[in-house]
Amino acid sequence: MTRQVPRQRSERPTRPQPWWRSAGSWGDRWTGAPPAGSALGLRRALALFGLVFCGVTAGLSAAAGQVGPAVALAVIGLTALVDLVVIHRRTVSARRDGRPRS
């Protein structure tokens, strides 16, 4: 009779990969969203949301006569605007140099 050779430790296991390590994740199958290109896209979306939200809320607060919250929200909105400018400059310089966005 022949004996089966034991599996070597250097071999990879033949078990299937778990669902969270497979090529298409659950989120991609459910939403159909493409994989993220870079972190700058999310940062741009959040800064744009912050700018719009703080601008609208600051305007409503100023119209209601609440100066303190209006000034605080305007400062936060200005910070979001500066962040959008920085993101734009990074994207343009990366495109000009031919390197991928980071």
Side-chain angles (χ1 to χ4, degrees):
M1 283 181 65
T2 59
R3 222 176 79 200
Q4 186 179 10
V5 178
R7 182 176 62 86
Q8 299 295 316
R9 290 180 188 231
S10 63
E11 292 179 12
R12 296 185 141 268
T14 57
R15 287 179 276 162
Q17 291 288 331
W19 62 268
W20 61 87
R21 291 189 182 176
S22 62
S25 68
W26 286 82
D28 292 343
R29 283 190 222 139
W30 286 348
T31 62
S38 71
L40 284 179
L42 177 62
R43 187 171 158 191
R44 180 184 293 124
L46 290 174
L48 187 62
F49 172 76
L51 178 65
V52 170
F53 177 79
C54 288
V56 169
T57 310
L60 291 175
S61 294
Q66 300 173 344
V67 178
V71 169
L73 287 166
V75 169
I76 295 171
L78 184 62
T79 304
L81 182 64
V82 169
D83 192 28
L84 281 170
V85 170
V86 169
I87 292 168
H88 178 70
R89 290 186 67 192
R90 281 189 183 183
T91 305
V92 168
S93 70
R95 202 175 292 152
R96 189 177 334 126
D97 296 342
R99 59 192 155 117
R101 295 182 295 171
S102 57

